[in-house]
Amino acid sequence: MSKILRTTGLALGTLALAGTLAACGGDSLEKSKSSSSGSGGSSSTGGGKKGSLVIGAAGFTESAVLAELYSQVLADAGYSTSVTTVKNRELYEPALEKGEIDVVPEYAATLTEFLNAKANGANAKPVASSDVAATVTALTKLAGPRGLKVLPAGEAVDQNAFAVTKEFAAKNNLKTLSDLGTSKAKVKIAAGDECKIRPFCAPGLTSKYGIDVTGIDPKGVGTPQAKQAVKDGVDQLVLTTTTDATLDTYGLVLLQDDKKLQNADNVLPVVNAKDAGGQEIADALGKLTKALTTADLVDLNRKVDAERAKPADVAKAYLQSKGLIKK
């Protein structure tokens, strides 16, 4: 599973998105940017002709893969790069502000509400939405005063999503969440306890889609237990994410969020404006952002989680296949 509760701490009041922020790496950061060879998650790459950059990653698969993609693209552009894994946003975001980290792969809506809460308090009025352009605009305004530069978002998006079994979808002719509401089928949702009150979960499914939610089975967000419960017919709907690479294993299929209940958590790079705000860095990362799709993320996650490939190796193969780095 790529992530559970990606928004921790300050932003939980607005978004409870999926993401496993497990402890992977030390709490303290030292800006050591010497170049060395290797393909591990903390390796340094590139000749460093244009300087050195530290790319931050959180402790879950997708973040590690994205950090390696960023690292190798920037290394190919002439920078010496290294990847530093930090526990969670509460730790790596301040490090990004301080310049201890230069570049981080982020999620538009989640970071927007995280910074919104830091600036305006935990009960601040939400400014992220399902509109990616408006969300990025809000994020840019919040990030600027903190010395951060937000680069353009791409098509790839990792946001909350709901899945049913293929059999349930076929029986009820379901492709979208609107279809589920129209079907009048009663559904029990395998999710976290917070699904009862979060606007993106049960309340939103009821108010926006007219879905008949009969209860919440508190098995967690996108956990194997939650997906198994839906596979077994104990529950009918599971809360997971759009880049969950294990759905097919359980015979599950996502229903399209056709009325845009979820906020726009498109993937985008965020950089320290002083140390990494140059156009060459933006251009190098921009090529990757334009190429990367949600389906690509699913496949990359699957290769790491199911096939046990190293994030660095998976990233390299992908970038070469897209012509984004030299062979």
Side-chain angles (χ1 to χ4, degrees):
M1 170 185 23
S2 63
K3 51 188 192 329
I4 292 179
L5 292 179
R6 184 169 62 227
T7 47
T8 58
L10 293 173
L12 274 175
T14 308
L15 299 169
L17 300 178
T20 301
L21 297 182
C24 294
D27 292 356
S28 63
L29 293 173
E30 293 184 5
K31 197 169 184 179
S32 175
K33 298 183 177 180
S34 58
S35 178
S36 63
S37 61
S39 60
S42 60
S43 65
S44 295
T45 58
K49 295 178 182 178
K50 296 180 181 179
S52 301
L53 297 169
V54 175
I55 292 83
F60 58 93
T61 295
E62 187 170 289
S63 184
V65 171
L66 286 167
E68 285 292 347
L69 289 169
Y70 285 15
S71 177
Q72 293 183 35
V73 161
L74 290 168
D76 190 72
Y79 297 90
S80 175
T81 62
S82 62
V83 175
T84 297
T85 303
V86 188
K87 284 184 179 181
N88 54 38
R89 185 172 287 103
E90 282 77 14
L91 294 174
Y92 71 67
E93 189 278 330
L96 185 63
E97 290 186 24
K98 295 174 185 175
E100 295 170 341
I101 290 174
D102 300 302
V103 184
V104 171
E106 264 292 1
Y107 302 90
T110 299
L111 182 61
T112 298
E113 291 308 330
F114 179 85
L115 295 182
N116 185 30
K118 282 189 74 172
N120 302 307
N123 296 318
K125 181 180 178 181
V127 292
S129 69
S130 60
D131 184 327
V132 64
T135 298
V136 172
T137 296
L139 174 57
T140 300
K141 291 178 180 178
L142 289 163
R146 296 184 176 277
L148 305 180
K149 181 179 179 180
V150 178
L151 301 185
E155 174 189 337
V157 59
D158 186 352
Q159 62 195 30
N160 296 304
F162 294 90
V164 297
T165 63
K166 294 176 181 178
E167 292 77 13
F168 187 82
K171 178 183 177 181
N172 293 282
N173 195 27
L174 307 178
K175 291 185 178 179
T176 68
L177 288 171
S178 285
D179 292 337
L180 181 56
T182 301
S183 75
K184 303 302 179 184
K186 297 181 182 298
V187 298
K188 189 175 183 181
I189 306 173
D193 269 331
E194 68 276 5
C195 182
K196 298 174 185 176
I197 59 172
R198 301 296 185 202
F200 73 84
C201 205
L205 292 175
T206 300
S207 63
K208 194 175 238 355
Y209 287 108
I211 294 172
D212 188 354
V213 178
T214 61
I216 307 299
D217 187 359
K219 285 186 164 59
V221 181
T223 62
Q225 295 85 353
K227 284 177 274 196
Q228 188 66 44
V230 175
K231 179 181 179 181
D232 293 342
V234 175
D235 304 322
Q236 292 70 47
L237 195 65
V238 60
L239 171 62
T240 183
T241 70
T242 52
T243 62
D244 189 328
T246 67
L247 292 178
D248 197 54
T249 303
Y250 294 90
L252 304 180
V253 61
L254 292 177
L255 296 181
Q256 182 185 346
D257 180 20
D258 53 308
K259 292 185 179 179
K260 298 187 182 300
L261 172 63
Q262 307 303 327
N263 282 347
D265 248 334
N266 296 63
V267 176
L268 78 176
V270 180
V271 305
N272 179 283
K274 180 180 178 182
D275 295 342
Q279 191 60 45
E280 285 186 276
I281 291 174
D283 289 344
L285 292 172
K287 293 176 183 178
L288 170 61
T289 298
K290 289 179 182 179
L292 193 65
T293 66
T294 305
D296 290 340
L297 277 181
V298 173
D299 189 51
L300 292 167
N301 288 337
R302 182 185 297 111
K303 286 185 166 90
V304 174
D305 287 336
E307 301 175 19
R308 303 303 179 190
K310 293 180 179 179
D313 295 338
V314 169
K316 182 177 181 180
Y318 174 81
L319 293 171
Q320 289 179 334
S321 74
K322 297 293 183 180
L324 294 172
I325 62 173
K326 293 182 282 291
K327 297 287 186 179

